[in-house]
């Protein structure tokens, strides 16, 4: 059955991928972990990112601190400050990001670090020495203050220690010298290497034909089992894609909500009696595509230069559009195989938010 989108983000099925060298439950990967003003996600390769935001009730423009670390012994942490482009009351002000008035300064207790200038996208990346001086303060202070001339931005540290401890745990760094919070003497060589990036095979499909759209009403009438959540099936829009070997795929509107919509997809013979069959989409709980998946708002299908058929969808978390759930797939001849999942926290940071990666795959 086609399901409406939800921002409950269950873990991807990775039990077979995790080996004896990595003991953390797979259910903890590929999901969003929230800790007050901080968020953490580790994808299916054990690459992790923690994000710390300005307080939600802050009157100033939003700011974000991103801490990224890939798996493996002795890997460094990269730190990036990024200015948002929503106003404090959530009004979209995407073209009015404040400009830094002079050099950027980061206050760490009695010490002030002078950072590089803002990049065009409103970010500044710390060097290794600056990152090393920043990290201990995340477990000591309540806030971080970044300033440029008369302007000030504040990052809340509520939840920072918990988020970094969770990162240590998921990358199996607890009690090692390289841990961010749980530092100990366990040998760094015991930290697991990154899990392999999955390979996803895409099947080439022919170019679509304009006259294939004439099949839409015939295919609609041929669908014998219409999902209950597909009330627009007989009247909504649709498109037809050729799959080769006398097969086509019909993508049909299913439902429309306030700011999200859903579609369904069916494969069919290009000739009567058609016999449409529901297409499966791999989901965060079914990487083999064993069950129906919803296809959220703004679903689009494109054919790449190599002929692969890609599907892309974005679902808003709320009407202001400051957070989304984004998924991508490739057609493998049997179902749409998952190639990427991203989610952004609802923090009035920017239109679409700042994504955290939950799943990655390499398309071949």
């Amino acid at each position: 059955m086609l399901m409406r989108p939800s921002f409950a983000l269950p873990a991807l099925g990775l039990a077979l991928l995790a080996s004896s060298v990595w003991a953390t439950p797979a259910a903890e990967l590929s999901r969003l972990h929230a800790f007050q003003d901080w968020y953490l996600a580790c994808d299916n390769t054990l690459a992790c990112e923690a994000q710390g935001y300005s307080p939600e009730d802050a009157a100033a423009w939003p700011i974000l601190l991103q801490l990224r670390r890939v798996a493996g012994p002795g890997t460094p942490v990269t730190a990036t400050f990024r200015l948002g482009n929503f106003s404090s009351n959530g009004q979209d002000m995407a073209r009015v990001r404040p400009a830094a008035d002079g050099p950027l300064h980061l206050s760490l207790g009695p010490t002030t670090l002078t950072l590089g200038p803002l990049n065009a996208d409103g970010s500044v990346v710390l060097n290794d020495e600056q990152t090393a001086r920043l990290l201990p303060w995340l477990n000591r202070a309540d806030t971080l203050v970044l300033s440029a001339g008369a302007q000030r931005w504040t990052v809340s540290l509520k939840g920072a220690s918990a988020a970094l401890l969770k990162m240590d745990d998921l990358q199996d760094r607890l009690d090692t010298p390289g841990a961010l919070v749980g530092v100990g003497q366990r040998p760094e060589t015991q930290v697991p290497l990154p899990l392999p990036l999955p390979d996803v095979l895409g099947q080439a499909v022919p170019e679509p034909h304009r006259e294939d759209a004439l099949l839409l009403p015939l295919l609609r009438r041929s669908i014998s089992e219409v999902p209950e959540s597909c009330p627009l099936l007989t009247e909504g829009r649709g498109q037809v894609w050729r799959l080769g070997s006398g097969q086509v795929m019909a993508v049909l509107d299913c439902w429309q909500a306030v700011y999200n919509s859903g579609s369904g997809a069916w494969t069919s013979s290009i000739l009567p009696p058609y016999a449409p069959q529901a297409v499966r989409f791999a989901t965060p709980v079914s990487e083999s595509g064993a069950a129906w998946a919803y296809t959220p708002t703004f679903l689009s299908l494109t054919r790449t230069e190599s002929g692969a058929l890609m599907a892309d969808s974005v679902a808003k978390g709320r009407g202001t559009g400051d957070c989304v759930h984004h998924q991508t797939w490739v057609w493998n001849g049997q179902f749409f195989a998952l190639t990427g999942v991203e989610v952004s926290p609802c923090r009035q940071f920017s239109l679409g938010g700042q994504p955290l990666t939950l799943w990655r795959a390499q398309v071949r």
Side-chain angles (χ1 to χ4, degrees):
M1 176 180 293
L2 200 64
M3 298 176 64
R4 292 178 183 246
S6 166
F7 262 48
L9 297 173
L12 293 156
L14 298 175
L16 296 178
L17 193 59
S19 67
S20 59
V21 299
W22 178 68
T24 304
E28 295 293 282
L29 287 184
S30 298
R31 55 170 293 198
L32 185 66
H33 300 269
F35 305 93
Q36 295 180 282
D37 292 322
W38 279 70
Y39 300 83
L40 172 72
C42 297
D43 69 16
N44 52 311
T45 72
L46 292 180
C48 296
E49 178 177 337
Q51 295 183 351
Y53 288 82
S54 50
E56 289 196 276
D57 58 355
W61 286 82
I63 188 173
L64 162 68
L65 172 58
Q66 298 170 283
L67 300 174
R68 296 188 176 103
R69 194 177 204 182
V70 300
T75 55
V77 178
T78 61
T80 303
F81 285 100
R82 191 177 300 275
L83 301 186
N85 54 20
F86 261 53
S87 65
S88 57
N89 64 3
Q91 181 183 1
D92 182 9
M93 299 286 284
R95 295 184 174 86
V96 197
R97 177 187 285 116
D101 181 16
L104 289 164
H105 301 285
L106 175 62
S107 299
L108 300 177
T111 303
T112 299
L113 301 182
T114 300
L115 310 181
L118 275 179
N119 297 316
D121 63 354
S123 68
V124 58
V125 180
L126 277 64
N127 61 35
D128 291 344
E129 180 183 356
Q130 293 166 340
T131 301
R133 297 179 68 177
L134 164 68
L135 291 176
W137 280 94
L138 303 181
N139 300 313
R140 300 179 191 171
D142 296 324
T143 59
L144 291 174
V145 177
L146 191 70
S147 61
Q151 299 189 68
R152 292 165 59 89
W153 297 270
T154 300
V155 176
S156 170
L157 295 182
K158 291 181 178 178
S161 292
L164 299 184
L165 181 64
K166 190 68 174 179
M167 185 188 293
D168 285 341
D169 180 34
L170 294 182
Q171 293 188 328
D172 199 8
R173 298 183 190 277
L174 292 175
D175 300 322
T176 68
L180 298 175
V181 177
V183 178
Q185 297 304 313
R186 185 165 66 94
E188 190 77 13
T189 54
Q190 294 183 10
V191 176
L193 295 172
L195 295 175
L197 190 68
D199 282 335
V200 177
L201 298 179
Q203 184 182 79
V205 302
E207 293 186 10
H209 291 203
R210 184 175 300 178
E211 61 269 21
D212 290 343
L214 299 175
L215 289 171
L216 282 172
L218 301 174
L219 297 179
R220 282 194 176 100
R221 289 196 294 268
S222 301
I223 297 175
S224 57
E225 295 186 12
V226 179
E228 294 180 3
S229 56
C230 202
L232 299 181
L233 181 67
T234 60
E235 58 189 67
R237 298 168 300 176
Q239 52 184 304
V240 176
W241 293 83
R242 294 208 172 196
L243 301 179
S245 302
Q247 295 287 306
V248 295
M249 180 186 298
V251 180
L252 306 172
D253 285 357
C254 270
W255 55 267
Q256 179 72 51
V258 177
Y259 49 81
N260 284 324
S261 60
S263 306
W266 288 261
T267 56
S268 166
S269 170
I270 202 169
L271 298 173
Y274 304 116
Q277 298 293 317
V279 172
R280 294 170 293 154
F281 287 76
T283 71
V285 290
S286 175
E287 50 184 297
S288 64
W292 256 105
Y294 66 82
T295 50
T297 189
F298 308 132
L299 174 72
S300 62
L301 269 64
T302 57
R303 182 178 177 274
T304 66
E305 291 184 2
S306 65
L309 187 60
M310 306 294 298
D312 188 289
S313 71
V314 179
K316 284 185 180 181
R318 57 185 181 183
T320 54
D322 63 331
C323 48
V324 299
H325 185 193
H326 181 210
Q327 296 186 90
T328 56
W329 302 267
V330 65
W331 176 250
N332 67 4
Q334 296 180 322
F335 58 88
F336 273 108
L338 193 65
T339 60
V341 181
E342 294 180 338
V343 65
S344 52
C346 300
R347 294 296 299 217
Q348 295 185 353
F349 182 76
S350 65
L351 193 62
Q354 190 65 34
L356 287 153
T357 300
L358 304 186
W359 172 265
R360 295 183 293 140
Q362 181 170 293
V363 180
R364 295 190 182 275

